[in-house]
């Protein structure tokens, strides 16, 4: 079945109410912290108060003597008994050497390298007893100088022996010589320096885990708030604990948001699993919010210089970029891929730029590890490119829309100079629809109305593209991935015709239980209510790679479609037997099997029953049952794209910036459930605008202390910070997956930050403010205005 046929099926494109919402809204969700096991104790981690220090001694004797304390584990307890936390993506430097990959112990050994680093784990009968004992652990630190900014890393005290200059790798893509030649002859060159600010993910549910051990079967179970339980199990068993994989079960129950921060294998997960056997009990740990600020993997934190070479008419000829990426103190699971494979390959954007050269230096600093955060490299690329493109237009006297239109790709497939090939799109249609929806023709009148109130109004554009699906495996492997990037789906048809879907994808807010059910119901012609979706348990679902990179429907959904192909093929044979016809003459549509050219038909439910009640059934030719599994590995990424237009009002007396209008037009290919897609876009926009206007993770430059360690200092966006979003879509179905889908979960966070900052710069342009970096807080905006006046 092709994508065009699929999009016309019943249930596809319908705003079906989310099946999972009833249990969430009535408090019946089951999150990790809701689970309590027999013989369960509680863990609390002793964390380093210093950003960089040598561990002279860790004395646990007083803590272990306190009431209810079972054990205090330190680095000495695990040293030599297991491996460190692995990095899942190998990057090779430009000189051919592999990246520096220092050990990442689950409990500190010899040194601590950021505030929040794991020094010890206290296990006690109650949370209060564990906290009291954690305060009694005596640690003697020899404090060392700390570094938090990439610009200072090369000359700072080394964090790791393996990286004496704190440099992890230098990576590049493109033809430097060819790019330099173009720049030497260009009519105009636009240059831009910018910073992509560090963010703390702040999912609604903090991380939590419970480690359990069954002595009778020698089996471990880990309950964990995680986005990909099979990957968690693989990394923990194969690289850290050295356990047989079948002896470890990982269960990710309901998860309250992830945004990338719950993809990774964390030290806490390993500590709890390992210690459960040592103490022969279950051990629970739930982070509090302050702990989450310190220890969750952070996002973004790039410092870049970008240049665009153009001809006299504003056509892009070449671009060159240098980025310094902050990796934090250790390599997290996918950290090395974010500023390279997931970033530089998207710097062509929607434009016909013939030559691009990108160079990335990655650095260790005394900060929390940095990894994928909603968009993972794509927001960083889009922010840089879309800021640069608007700057090009301003310098040449062209409108932000016109500079984009002159350079849009208009034919597909399109091979970019940075490795990717876009299969399909219509960027001009997105721009046209966005301008109409945003009522751009009325902007000048609105600007005059704002000026009459003493306010500055600006408009900002952003035309983004992202690569989703994060596959195929062979290409990803050639680029350094240490795992396959396929997905698996199992369809289990029951005798009465109802269906259970087992998927390797994981839902933590995306609505898979509804969307996947719509796909199956549409294909089999059964009610959506007759389809259940199971995920998140390695003991029940086949091996899959989980959810990240907007891959669930495009990769996980495609795997389900492949399994449905097998279901249909077998069901046709059963139907042919029931109707005494050749299976080649059987057609299936709208839940009925028919014989070509006749009025014979049999419903899907009768076929499913016959599969399990095989009376007069050709058992020599067909096995009983109707249960199929399929794996799907895409042949290419999918490429959602769109144009966003933002209008802001700024009070120059106070620097307060208000988003007055925001329009988003996206091309997500086939849309299964428009209500869920709209919700995903809303959430992404809020996170992206939040980064642009308020969110900012800051460490003290001298001490390495986290200065924004709570919601008192780290501002989170609220509903009243936003206008009513104006949304619409364009549809060019993906050409290489059976659904025609592209992915939607990250788009809002990718396209919105540059639209907001371009609008801020447009508003402040006549005040002399030429450049500005996120976040546009009132104080920073006011300072920029005062500096321009001076």
């Amino acid at each position: 079945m092709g994508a065009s046929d699929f999009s016309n099926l019943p249930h596809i494109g319908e705003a079906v109410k989310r099946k999972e919402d009833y249990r969430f809204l009535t408090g019946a969700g089951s999150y990790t912290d809701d689970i309590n096991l027999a013989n369960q104790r509680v863990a609390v981690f002793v964390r380093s108060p210093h950003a960089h220090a040598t561990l002279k001694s860790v004395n646990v004797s007083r803590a272990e003597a306190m009431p209810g304390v079972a054990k205090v584990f330190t680095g000495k307890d695990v040293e030599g008994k297991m491996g460190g936390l692995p990095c899942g993506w190998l990057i090779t430097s430009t000189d051919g050497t592999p990246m520096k990959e220092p050990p990442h112990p689950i409990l500190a050994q010899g040194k601590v390298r950021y505030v929040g680093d794991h020094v010890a784990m206290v296990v006690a009968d109650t949370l209060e007893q564990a906290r009291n004992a954690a305060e009694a652990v005596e640690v003697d630190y020899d404090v060392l100088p700390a570094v938090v900014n990439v610009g200072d890393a090369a000359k700072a005290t080394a964090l790791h022996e393996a990286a004496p200059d704190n440099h992890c790798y230098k990576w590049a893509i493109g033809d430097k010589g060819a790019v330099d030649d173009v720049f030497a002859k260009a009519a105009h060159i636009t240059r831009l320096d910018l910073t992509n600010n560090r963010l703390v993910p702040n999912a609604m549910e903090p991380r939590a885990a419970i480690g359990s051990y069954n002595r009778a079967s020698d089996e471990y179970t880990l309950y964990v708030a995680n986005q990909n339980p099979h990957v968690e199990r693989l990394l923990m068993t194969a690289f850290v604990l050295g356990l047989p994989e079948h002896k470890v079960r990982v269960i990710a129950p309901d998860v309250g948001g992830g945004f990338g921060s719950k993809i990774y294998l964390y030290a806490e997960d390993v500590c709890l699993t390992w210690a459960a056997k040592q103490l022969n009990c279950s051990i629970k740990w739930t982070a509090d919010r302050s702990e989450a600020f310190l220890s969750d993997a952070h996002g973004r934190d790039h410092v870049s210089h970008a240049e665009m070479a153009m001809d006299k008419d504003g056509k892009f000829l070449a671009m060159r970029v240098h980025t310094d990426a902050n990796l934090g103190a250790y390599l997290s699971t996918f950290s090395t891929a974010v500023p390279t494979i997931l970033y530089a390959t998207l710097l062509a954007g929607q434009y016909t730029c013939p030559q691009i050269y990108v160079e990335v230096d990655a650095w260790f600093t005394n900060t929390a590890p940095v990894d994928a955060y909603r968009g993972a490299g794509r927001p960083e690329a889009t922010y840089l490119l879309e800021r640069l493109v608007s700057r090009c237009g301003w310098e040449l006297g062209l409108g932000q829309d016109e500079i984009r239109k002159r350079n849009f790709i208009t034919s597909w497939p399109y091979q970019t100079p940075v490795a990717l090939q876009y299969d399909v799109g219509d960027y001009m249609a997105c721009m046209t629809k966005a301008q109409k929806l945003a009522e751009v023709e009325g902007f000048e009148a609105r600007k005059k109305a704002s000026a009459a109130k003493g306010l500055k109004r600006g408009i900002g554009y952003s035309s983004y593209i992202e690569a989703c699906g994060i596959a195929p495996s062979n290409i990803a492997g050639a680029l350094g991935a240490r795992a396959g990037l396929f997905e698996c789906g199992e369809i289990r048809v029951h005798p009465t015709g109802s269906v259970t879907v087992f998927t390797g994808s994981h839902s933590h807010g995306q609505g898979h239980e509804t969307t996947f059910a719509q796909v199956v119901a549409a294909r089999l012609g059964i009610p959506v209510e007759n389809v259940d979706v199971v995920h998140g348990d390695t003991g029940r679902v086949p091996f899959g790679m989980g959810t990240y990179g907007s891959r669930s429907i495009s990769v996980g959904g495609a795997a389900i479609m492949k399994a449905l192909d097998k279901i249909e093929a077998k069901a046709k044979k059963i139907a042919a037997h029931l109707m005494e016809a050749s299976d080649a003459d059987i057609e299936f549509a709208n839940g009925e099997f028919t014989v070509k050219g006749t009025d014979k038909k049999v419903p899907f439910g009768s076929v499913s029953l016959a599969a399990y009640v095989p009376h007069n059934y050709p058992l020599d030719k067909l096995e009983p049952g109707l249960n199929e599994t399929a794996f799907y590995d895409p042949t290419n990424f999918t490429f959602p794209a769109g144009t966003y237009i933002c209008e802001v009002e700024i009070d120059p007396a106070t620097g307060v910036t208000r988003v007055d209008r925001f329009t988003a037009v996206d091309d997500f290919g086939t849309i299964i459930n428009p209500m869920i897609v709209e919700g995903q876009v809303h959430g992404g926009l809020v996170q992206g605008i939040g980064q642009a206007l308020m969110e900012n993770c800051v460490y003290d430059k001298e001490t390495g202390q986290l200065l924004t360690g709570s919601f008192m200092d780290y501002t989170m966006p609220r509903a009243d910070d936003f206008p009513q979003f104006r949304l619409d879509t364009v549809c060019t179905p993906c050409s290489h997956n059976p659904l025609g889908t592209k992915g939607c979960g990250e788009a809002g966070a990718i396209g919105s930050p540059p639209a907001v900052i371009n609008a801020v710069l447009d508003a402040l342009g006549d005040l002399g403010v030429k450049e500005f970096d996120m976040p546009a807080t009132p104080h920073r905006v006011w300072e920029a205005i005062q500096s321009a006046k001076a």
Side-chain angles (χ1 to χ4, degrees):
M1 176 177 287
S4 59
D5 298 322
F6 175 78
S7 63
N8 293 321
L9 291 176
H11 304 305
I12 302 307
E14 293 181 8
V16 176
K17 288 185 179 180
R18 294 190 359 151
K19 298 176 66 175
E20 50 270 75
D21 280 354
Y22 180 81
R23 74 171 187 273
F24 293 143
L25 294 173
T26 57
S30 179
Y31 299 87
T32 301
D33 192 55
D34 293 324
I35 298 167
N36 290 294
L37 305 178
N39 190 28
Q40 179 177 286
R41 291 188 170 107
V42 179
V44 166
F45 285 86
V46 178
R47 298 184 182 275
S48 172
H50 303 290
H52 200 190
T54 301
L55 283 175
K56 296 176 70 176
S57 65
V58 181
N59 189 337
V60 302
S61 56
R62 189 162 70 94
E64 288 191 327
M66 296 179 71
V69 175
K71 177 69 176 174
V72 180
F73 296 97
T74 69
K76 289 185 177 180
D77 293 304
V78 299
E79 189 172 6
K81 297 178 181 178
M82 63 186 70
L85 301 180
C87 178
W89 207 293
L90 173 67
I91 296 298
T92 302
S93 289
T94 52
D95 63 3
T97 60
M99 66 188 187
K100 306 297 193 323
E101 198 168 358
H104 186 178
I106 64 168
L107 293 171
Q109 297 171 16
K111 239 190 184 190
V112 289
R113 295 176 172 89
Y114 67 100
V115 175
D117 205 352
H118 312 76
V119 176
M121 179 178 72
V122 178
V123 181
D125 293 339
T126 69
L127 179 59
E128 182 180 8
Q129 290 171 335
R131 284 176 172 169
N132 290 339
E135 293 180 2
V137 175
E138 299 170 357
V139 186
D140 189 2
Y141 298 96
D142 185 5
V143 179
L144 300 170
V147 60
V148 299
N149 297 323
V150 290
D152 303 321
K155 296 181 180 179
T157 302
L159 276 75
H160 304 278
E161 291 181 8
D165 55 358
N166 292 320
H167 191 240
C168 182
Y169 59 77
K170 178 185 285 292
W171 180 89
I173 190 171
D175 187 333
K176 185 177 187 300
V179 168
D180 290 345
D181 289 344
V182 174
F183 268 85
K185 302 169 186 175
H188 184 84
I189 298 173
T190 292
R191 298 178 174 86
L192 181 65
D193 292 296
L194 49 78
T195 298
N196 202 299
N197 46 319
R198 180 184 280 240
L199 301 175
V200 179
N202 281 315
M204 186 179 293
E205 176 206 23
R207 285 191 298 119
I210 307 170
S212 179
Y213 176 72
N214 185 320
R215 181 165 289 179
S217 60
D218 191 30
E219 291 178 337
Y220 301 79
T221 301
L222 174 67
Y223 295 85
V224 61
N226 185 267
Q227 297 176 219
N228 45 1
H230 272 291
V231 176
E232 169 108 353
R233 182 177 73 166
L234 175 63
L235 294 174
M236 183 165 60
T237 57
F239 295 96
V240 187
L241 296 179
L243 296 171
E245 198 169 355
H246 71 287
K247 288 293 187 181
V248 179
R249 180 181 181 184
V250 175
I251 301 173
D254 290 327
V255 174
F259 313 118
S261 68
K262 293 174 182 172
I263 295 173
Y264 324 117
L265 176 63
Y266 284 96
E268 294 89 352
D269 308 345
V270 180
C271 286
L272 296 169
T273 305
W274 175 78
K277 180 176 181 178
Q278 309 306 307
L279 299 178
N280 194 30
C281 68
S282 300
I283 308 172
K284 176 190 277 192
W285 166 79
T286 301
D288 59 32
R289 187 59 66 179
S290 295
E291 202 171 13
F293 268 95
L294 290 172
S295 63
D296 288 2
H298 292 172
R300 316 291 190 248
D301 206 343
H302 285 191
V303 177
S304 300
H305 175 77
E307 301 178 343
M308 184 74 81
M310 293 168 281
D311 67 12
K312 61 182 178 60
D313 298 318
K315 283 289 289 180
F316 300 157
L317 303 175
M319 181 170 64
R320 57 190 176 197
V321 175
H322 181 270
T323 294
D324 287 300
N326 195 337
L327 298 176
Y330 299 99
L331 298 183
S332 183
T333 307
F334 292 120
S335 59
T336 52
V338 174
T340 51
I341 308 304
L342 301 179
Y343 162 70
T345 56
L346 271 299
L347 282 170
Q350 298 186 12
Y351 311 111
T352 55
C353 187
Q355 296 286 348
I356 299 175
Y357 178 73
V358 186
E359 192 174 82
V360 178
D361 284 291
W363 304 91
F364 294 108
T365 65
N366 296 111
T367 61
V370 178
D371 210 316
Y373 172 68
R374 199 169 191 168
R378 284 72 56 86
E380 294 90 324
T382 299
Y383 182 69
L384 181 146
L385 180 61
E386 292 305 295
R387 285 284 311 280
L388 182 63
V389 168
S390 286
R391 174 56 58 197
C392 289
W394 290 327
E395 290 186 2
L396 293 177
L398 298 174
Q400 295 181 67
D401 57 340
E402 181 59 27
I403 189 69
R404 287 170 169 81
K405 291 175 182 178
R406 291 189 184 190
N407 290 282
F408 274 156
I409 297 164
T410 56
S411 63
W412 290 266
Y414 180 81
Q415 179 62 53
T416 75
V418 279
L420 299 182
Q421 185 180 80
Y422 306 157
D423 63 325
V424 68
D426 192 341
Y427 309 147
M428 195 67 77
C430 288
M431 172 66 79
T432 301
K433 186 172 278 192
Q435 288 188 297
K436 182 178 180 180
L437 190 61
E439 300 174 326
V440 170
E441 72 281 355
F443 171 72
E444 289 301 325
R446 294 192 292 274
K447 185 173 182 178
K448 288 180 182 178
S450 296
K453 297 184 291 184
L455 304 176
K456 296 293 182 180
R457 178 177 287 266
I459 189 169
Y461 283 73
S462 171
S463 295
Y464 79 92
I465 190 168
E466 59 168 324
C468 296
I470 316 300
S473 294
N474 59 343
I475 293 177
L479 295 172
R482 287 166 165 166
L485 293 167
F486 53 83
E487 197 47 82
C488 183
E490 179 187 346
I491 305 296
R492 191 175 298 174
V493 180
H494 303 293
T496 56
S498 61
V499 175
T500 302
V501 178
F502 297 85
T503 175
S505 299
H506 186 275
S507 182
H508 38 278
Q510 293 87 347
H512 294 170
E513 292 176 38
T514 304
T515 305
F516 286 175
Q518 285 180 255
V519 170
V520 174
R523 184 71 185 274
L524 298 181
I526 62 177
V528 173
E529 295 76 21
N530 287 8
V531 183
D532 282 341
V533 177
V534 177
H535 62 90
D537 184 346
T538 63
R540 297 186 66 191
V541 303
F543 191 99
M545 299 306 295
T547 294
Y548 46 85
S550 301
R551 73 192 301 270
S552 295
I553 193 64
S554 300
V555 187
I560 290 169
M561 283 289 281
K562 294 292 185 183
L564 287 167
D565 288 343
K566 296 180 181 180
I567 292 288
E568 182 177 325
K570 182 174 181 179
K572 282 181 175 179
K573 294 179 180 180
I574 299 172
H577 169 71
L578 294 176
M579 293 185 285
E580 300 179 333
S582 168
D583 57 319
D585 293 330
I586 302 298
E587 294 180 335
F588 180 60
N590 300 318
E592 289 184 331
F593 295 89
T594 57
V595 181
K596 293 178 187 176
T598 75
D599 60 357
K600 288 184 176 182
K601 62 182 180 180
V602 62
F604 179 76
S606 296
V607 171
S608 64
L609 183 62
Y612 292 94
V613 187
H615 298 163
N616 301 318
Y617 193 87
L619 292 172
D620 57 327
K621 297 178 182 179
L622 279 175
E623 294 179 352
L626 201 52
N627 181 21
E628 298 288 352
T629 300
F631 288 81
Y632 176 72
D633 201 325
T635 57
N636 194 4
F637 296 95
T638 62
F639 297 100
T643 287
Y644 291 177
I645 301 175
C646 175
E647 285 187 36
V648 300
E649 269 192 338
I650 299 175
D651 184 345
T654 63
V656 172
T657 300
R658 181 178 69 89
V659 176
D660 184 59
R661 289 172 167 238
F662 201 101
T663 300
V665 174
D666 299 283
D667 179 0
F668 296 136
T670 303
I671 290 177
I672 309 299
N673 187 316
M675 179 186 67
I676 289 178
V677 168
E678 185 175 317
Q680 287 289 304
V681 174
H682 275 210
L685 291 176
V686 166
Q687 284 183 274
I689 297 170
Q691 176 181 11
L693 291 183
M694 55 195 76
E695 294 187 51
N696 195 24
C697 178
V698 180
Y699 284 89
D700 182 81
K701 187 175 180 180
E702 301 299 324
T703 65
Q705 292 294 327
L706 181 61
L707 301 179
T708 52
S710 75
F711 290 138
M712 296 294 289
D713 307 295
Y714 187 97
T715 308
M716 292 288 282
R718 300 183 181 188
D720 60 0
D721 292 317
F722 304 98
Q724 183 70 36
F725 297 131
R726 302 175 177 214
L727 308 182
D728 207 341
T729 58
V730 167
C731 181
T732 60
C734 174
S735 64
H736 57 79
N737 77 48
L739 298 164
T741 54
K742 296 184 179 182
C744 69
E746 297 165 300
I750 292 170
S752 56
V756 174
I757 298 301
N758 284 336
V760 169
L761 288 169
D762 184 61
L764 299 180
D766 60 357
L767 295 180
V769 177
K770 299 300 182 186
E771 278 309 323
F772 192 87
D773 268 322
M774 301 183 287
T777 61
H779 180 69
R780 287 164 62 90
V781 172
W782 184 86
E783 276 192 331
I785 294 171
Q786 304 314 308
S787 296
K789 286 180 180 178

